Amino acid sequence: MSNVEFSPSLMTMDLDKFKEQITFLNKQVGSYHIDIMDGHYVPNITLSPWFIEEVRKISSLPMSAHLMVKDPSFWVQQLITLKCEWICMHAEVLDGLAFRLIDQIQDAGLKAGVVLNPETPIEVIFPYIERLDKITIMTVDPGFAGQRFIESTLDKITALRELRVEKDYRYVIEMDGSSNRQSFKRIDQAGPDIYIVGRSGLFGLDESIETSWDMMVQDYQEMTGKCLG
């Protein structure tokens, strides 16, 4: 039996079926993944803190904001005000900001995370790794759905899992990007705690969210040989 968590990336959901899909997923998942893009760090502009307010109207589940932005300071306080449970910032833009922003988030009773791009080594976050609640490994380049899975990124997940045991760190490990039938087995072998699932792994499998969920679970179980539970 597997204890991994699947966290849907709401950027890839069918917004025409917003209430229907969230209502169903509320009974299946433990959290939601909210991509916030500023059009500068990545060229797209997607969800915003406003979207979190809309989800809260029909869900009490924790939400994790993934800040794909050039100026995380601008967004962090907005998310703290909304009491977004997880606030995750790209390590690549945290030089000179990391300790202050992590403290700001955690002092508010929320959880702080960092995200690493495929080419960013885990050593970059070693100065503050012991403070982190979550580390997200991008298994695709950030900013676009439907990209090719970068298998070499899984080595970072394995290394972080081993380091967590060795140093007794508290962070959870999350993977983000092209989590689907073709990659489930390789991801499972690396051993993250949380899988972000989007269009290719969940929302794009069928027009019905119920059928899509069942297909995703079947894909995971067939490819890994593990039952979810």
Side-chain angles (χ1 to χ4, degrees):
M1 181 174 291
S2 175
N3 291 319
V4 301
E5 176 186 336
F6 287 92
S7 184
S9 174
L10 298 189
M11 176 182 76
T12 60
M13 72 184 298
D14 186 345
L15 292 178
D16 288 337
K17 301 178 180 178
F18 174 82
K19 185 173 183 180
E20 171 190 336
Q21 293 189 341
I22 294 294
T23 299
F24 172 78
L25 290 169
N26 283 339
K27 303 173 185 176
Q28 310 296 331
V29 303
S31 67
Y32 290 120
H33 185 83
I34 312 292
D35 287 308
I36 297 176
M37 306 181 191
D38 64 356
H40 298 286
Y41 182 72
V42 292
N44 286 338
I45 297 175
T46 54
L47 307 179
S48 71
W50 167 85
F51 187 81
I52 293 174
E53 293 182 279
E54 295 302 301
V55 178
R56 287 212 191 278
K57 293 176 182 178
I58 52 176
S59 178
S60 59
L61 291 181
M63 281 179 264
S64 180
H66 174 190
L67 291 176
M68 284 176 267
V69 300
K70 276 197 170 181
D71 182 10
S73 299
F74 174 80
W75 300 90
V76 163
Q77 187 54 56
Q78 295 182 59
L79 293 165
I80 288 174
T81 300
L82 290 173
K83 299 189 184 303
C84 182
E85 286 83 359
W86 299 84
I87 302 174
C88 302
M89 308 160 289
H90 268 268
E92 297 82 8
V93 297
L94 283 182
D95 189 26
L97 299 171
F99 288 92
R100 178 171 62 83
L101 291 181
I102 291 169
D103 285 347
Q104 185 179 351
I105 292 165
Q106 292 174 340
D107 288 348
L110 305 171
K111 295 184 178 181
V114 296
V115 186
L116 296 174
N117 282 337
E119 65 272 31
T120 304
I122 63 174
E123 287 78 10
V124 167
I125 63 173
F126 278 3
Y128 50 86
I129 191 171
E130 66 181 7
R131 296 170 175 245
L132 296 173
D133 299 300
K134 182 194 284 187
I135 301 172
T136 303
I137 298 300
M138 295 297 298
T139 52
V140 298
D141 287 334
F144 298 92
Q147 294 184 68
R148 181 177 296 179
F149 184 78
I150 304 171
E151 187 168 357
S152 60
T153 58
L154 297 178
D155 292 340
K156 290 190 279 189
I157 294 174
T158 302
L160 286 169
R161 188 161 44 84
E162 294 172 351
L163 187 64
R164 182 172 62 184
V165 172
E166 177 187 346
K167 300 290 189 178
D168 197 28
Y169 291 145
R170 67 174 184 268
Y171 55 75
V172 296
I173 305 168
E174 179 177 79
M175 62 74 54
D176 184 4
S178 292
S179 177
N180 53 43
R181 181 178 179 87
Q182 286 69 43
S183 59
F184 278 153
K185 183 175 182 179
R186 288 170 288 171
I187 297 169
D188 177 73
Q189 290 168 345
D193 305 299
I194 303 171
Y195 291 53
I196 304 303
V197 284
R199 187 174 301 141
S200 67
L202 176 61
F203 291 109
L205 300 181
D206 192 86
E207 290 187 3
S208 163
I209 187 61
E210 293 89 348
T211 302
S212 291
W213 179 264
D214 289 343
M215 291 173 68
M216 186 202 73
V217 170
Q218 182 176 347
D219 286 344
Y220 174 82
Q221 294 182 161
E222 287 181 357
M223 299 310 295
T224 65
K226 297 178 180 179
C227 293
L228 287 175

